């Protein structure tokens, strides 16, 4: 389950849904950050209100923190949660990197590689690898925390082809975001454990049409706001799948100030390719389709009647319905 960030899901509801997921046997819950809610503080609070469910960042934004700071946060959350933490990292996009963090959005692939290298070294208890851009003669430090737990796995929120290739090479898992099922099994698996966990909007309703309408605001926001007319990774992904026309139109509406229109213009085919928008009895089948396409687990974003969406996941998880491919 993916609890997003405020204002999509407020802090009180995040706690409520996290407790339902924890009691109901869901495997993991993830939270994100954009330019409001901060992900580390939020997971610290949720770790105190849950006992068994894994906790992840999807994603902790690379331009927001130096890699050593991210390693400190990850080690702290791993300790506070009793070893339940999963570290998801991502460079975000030019809009967030430059428009909020005042960090240039350049060399995202090599920047991610260096970032993961430093975070892994720190979490392993090693000295940080030298930075040629900094220099200096100060001794290198090691993480000042007990290391009696395994370091958390590192996931990457990669979108571009080169970034996804690198993810398979250096990370423990991939967090595809608003990606069609045809992309999940494109690449051969590494010769080691690797988790493909797509983040998928989920809405359940009495009719498929109502469920689609419940996910339109979410998809309209991401296709509209998370990029610029010149560079928008999610629209480029939609175009690769032959579904880009309505995504471009959603961006045009959003940038013109018509936020409701941004969701309304999205084609049903695009929604069905990137979301689970259906009646409760068909959720298990949609999960099975994603597993068959290459997903190891599915991170669902509850939308519309969010409690009903989470309770549907719990019911599927606790039933004898087979969702294996």
């Amino acid at each position: 389950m993916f609890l997003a960030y405020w204002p999509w899901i407020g802090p009180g509801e995040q706690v409520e849904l996290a407790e339902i997921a924890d009691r109901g046997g869901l495997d993991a819950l993830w939270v994100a950050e954009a330019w409001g809610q901060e992900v580390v503080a939020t997971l610290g609070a949720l770790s105190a209100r849950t006992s068994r469910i894994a906790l992840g960042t999807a994603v902790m934004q690379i331009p927001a923190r130096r890699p050593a700071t991210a390693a400190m946060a990850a080690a702290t959350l791993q300790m506070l949660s009793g070893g339940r933490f999963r570290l998801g990292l991502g460079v975000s996009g030019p809009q967030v990197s430059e428009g909020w963090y005042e960090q240039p959005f350049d060399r995202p692939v090599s920047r991610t590689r260096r970032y993961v290298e430093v975070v892994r070294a720190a979490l392993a208890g090693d000295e940080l690898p030298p930075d040629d851009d900094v220099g200096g003669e100060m001794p290198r430090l090691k993480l000042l925390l007990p290391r009696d737990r395994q370091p958390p796995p590192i996931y990457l929120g990669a979108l571009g082809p080169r970034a996804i290739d690198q993810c398979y090479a250096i990370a423990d898992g991939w967090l595809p975001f608003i990606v069609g099922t045809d992309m999940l099994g494109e690449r051969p698996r590494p010769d080691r454990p690797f988790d493909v966990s797509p983040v998928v909007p989920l809405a359940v309703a009495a009719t498929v049409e109502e469920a689609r309408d419940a996910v339109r605001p979410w998809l309209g926001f991401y296709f509209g706001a998370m990029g610029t007319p010149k560079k928008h990774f999610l629209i480029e992904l939609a175009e690769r799948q032959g579904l880009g026309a309505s995504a471009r139109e959603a961006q045009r509406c959003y940038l013109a100030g018509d936020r409701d229109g941004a969701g309304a213009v999205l084609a049903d085919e695009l929604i069905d390719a990137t979301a689970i928008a259906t009646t409760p009895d068909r959720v298990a089948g949609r999960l099975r389709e994603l597993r068959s396409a290459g997903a190891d687990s599915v991170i669902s974003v509850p939308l519309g009647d969010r409690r009903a969406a989470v309770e549907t996941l719990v019911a599927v998880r606790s039933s004898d319905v087979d969702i294996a491919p």
Side-chain angles (χ1 to χ4, degrees):
M1 186 178 63
F2 181 79
L3 291 178
Y5 45 82
W6 318 331
W8 289 103
I9 305 177
E13 190 178 10
Q14 284 179 328
V15 171
E16 176 189 0
L17 296 178
E19 290 177 340
I20 293 172
D22 192 41
R23 293 193 304 268
L26 297 191
D27 298 305
L29 67 87
W30 302 73
V31 296
E33 59 189 4
W35 52 90
Q37 166 196 294
E38 196 269 346
V39 71
V40 178
T42 304
L43 272 189
L46 293 177
S47 73
R49 300 296 293 265
T50 56
S51 60
R52 51 150 299 280
I53 195 167
L55 306 167
T57 57
V59 294
M60 184 186 293
Q61 294 171 329
I62 284 175
R65 301 166 185 85
R66 296 288 298 173
T69 308
M72 291 167 63
T76 301
L77 287 168
Q78 183 76 325
M79 292 291 293
L80 292 176
S81 67
R84 294 183 282 145
F85 182 60
R86 301 175 182 182
L87 175 61
L89 297 168
V91 292
S92 192
Q95 179 76 13
V96 173
S97 186
E98 298 178 6
W100 181 247
Y101 292 117
E102 299 182 322
Q103 296 293 317
F105 189 79
D106 58 353
R107 301 178 296 108
V109 174
S110 60
R111 184 179 186 186
T112 299
R113 184 172 61 251
R114 166 68 186 181
Y115 202 95
V116 170
E117 178 189 19
V118 173
V119 169
R120 279 205 189 279
L123 292 175
D126 299 332
E127 293 182 358
L128 301 190
D131 186 341
D132 295 336
D133 294 333
V134 176
E137 298 180 356
M138 289 292 105
R140 309 299 285 177
L141 300 176
K142 298 181 180 180
L143 187 67
L144 190 62
L145 277 178
R147 289 181 296 278
D148 57 348
R149 297 189 184 277
Q150 286 291 321
I154 296 176
Y155 292 69
L156 292 177
L159 293 175
R162 289 180 58 225
I164 297 171
D165 287 341
Q166 175 171 267
C167 175
Y168 273 69
I170 68 173
D172 304 303
W174 177 34
L175 299 170
F177 194 81
I178 311 184
V179 166
T181 55
D182 58 331
M183 289 185 59
L184 297 178
E186 279 186 343
R187 289 162 176 77
R189 292 302 181 99
D191 188 21
R192 54 185 167 77
F194 189 83
D195 183 24
V196 176
S197 292
V199 179
V200 181
L202 166 68
V204 296
T207 67
V208 172
E209 291 73 19
E210 292 176 81
R212 285 177 180 146
D213 287 344
V215 304
R216 288 182 187 279
W218 174 270
L219 292 176
F221 172 74
Y222 273 91
F223 285 123
M226 291 299 189
T228 68
K230 291 184 178 180
K231 191 64 180 176
H232 195 304
F233 293 116
L234 295 176
I235 293 177
E236 290 169 9
L237 281 177
E239 289 171 338
R240 286 177 58 195
Q241 299 165 75
L243 298 168
S246 70
R248 284 287 177 195
E249 181 63 13
Q251 183 185 52
R252 187 196 65 77
C253 290
Y254 196 96
L255 295 178
D258 184 5
R259 298 189 177 190
D260 292 337
V265 300
L266 293 173
D268 291 348
E269 294 81 4
L270 178 58
I271 294 173
D272 293 343
T274 56
I276 299 174
T278 190
T279 53
D281 59 302
R282 296 182 179 179
V283 169
R286 292 287 286 117
L287 292 171
R288 191 180 303 113
E289 290 172 12
L290 286 161
R291 293 288 305 279
S292 296
D296 297 298
S297 55
V298 179
I299 304 174
S300 300
V301 187
L303 298 170
D305 186 340
R306 289 186 283 267
R307 185 177 182 118
V310 175
E311 288 176 344
T312 299
L313 288 177
V314 169
V316 171
R317 185 72 171 84
S318 60
S319 73
D320 59 359
V321 174
D322 184 11
I323 61 171

